[in-house]
Amino acid sequence: SNGTRLKPLQPRNNDVLCGRGVTCDGHPGNINFRRIITKYKPQYQKGSQITNKNKNKTKQTIVLAVMKEIEGCSVPPARFLFKDLDTGRWCETDHSTAYNKTMRALRQVQRPTPISPESSLFISKDHVNVFDDKLFFETPTTNEDLLKNIFGD
């Protein structure tokens, strides 16, 4: 039973559905989950840069804060659910599974965004400036500038 309580449940709008695909990605609880993850991600990444013994404790505190916010932002509280492959029914995960899903989401690096929908060219690392612990992308104004910045003069 992979560490879960196998009581079939009906997913509510605030629940976080574990899994992949449109059903999970578009579920209101998962959209809220990603919003909260986005809010805490900078703190988590800063915590990852700590080199002392408090590093894991800092990261753990952030993961637990995310879970507490997700579970406590609605009544009844949100749950982390998974689909039992044998029965096709939704069941609540255990704390450890929910913790790991949250930690993976915080750790996940965003894929670079294309400069324009028509272009398959991505912003290169050379176009990133670090300023005040935030990343700023210099967006070239023309395709010619873009190619110059990527390949040189």
Side-chain angles (χ1 to χ4, degrees):
S1 75
N2 71 5
T4 54
R5 286 171 269 152
L6 295 176
K7 186 176 133 205
L9 301 165
Q10 185 63 41
R12 299 187 292 248
N13 276 343
N14 62 335
D15 290 333
V16 177
L17 307 182
C18 300
R20 295 174 187 260
V22 178
T23 304
C24 295
D25 286 348
H27 185 72
N30 289 51
I31 293 168
N32 186 47
F33 175 73
R34 288 192 300 272
R35 183 185 59 75
I36 293 170
I37 287 291
T38 301
K39 184 172 102 176
Y40 282 91
K41 195 173 271 199
Q43 288 174 267
Y44 186 85
Q45 288 169 342
K46 254 187 191 141
S48 297
Q49 294 163 2
I50 296 172
T51 54
N52 64 28
K53 63 184 192 304
N54 293 329
K55 176 180 183 168
N56 288 340
K57 184 130 180 75
T58 301
K59 288 163 60 174
Q60 180 184 28
T61 302
I62 294 166
V63 173
L64 293 172
V66 170
M67 290 175 66
K68 186 175 181 182
E69 184 166 337
I70 289 161
E71 291 164 356
C73 68
S74 54
V75 178
R79 304 162 296 183
F80 286 81
L81 305 180
F82 77 100
K83 197 170 222 174
D84 184 312
L85 297 178
D86 295 329
T87 65
R89 303 184 117 175
W90 290 99
C91 303
E92 191 169 356
T93 68
D94 61 6
H95 175 80
S96 172
T97 304
Y99 181 94
N100 288 329
K101 177 179 176 61
T102 304
M103 187 173 59
R104 273 196 311 277
L106 284 163
R107 235 185 353 220
Q108 202 170 37
V109 177
Q110 295 295 338
R111 292 179 57 197
T113 44
I115 288 172
S116 70
E118 305 80 36
S119 168
S120 61
L121 292 170
F122 286 88
I123 298 169
S124 74
K125 281 188 271 184
D126 299 336
H127 296 97
V128 179
N129 287 332
V130 177
F131 179 75
D132 193 30
D133 292 320
K134 293 187 179 94
L135 293 177
F136 291 95
F137 292 97
E138 295 173 5
T139 309
T141 51
T142 66
N143 282 343
E144 192 178 302
D145 288 342
L146 172 65
L147 294 172
K148 223 183 266 180
N149 287 338
I150 293 174
F151 300 110
D153 294 329

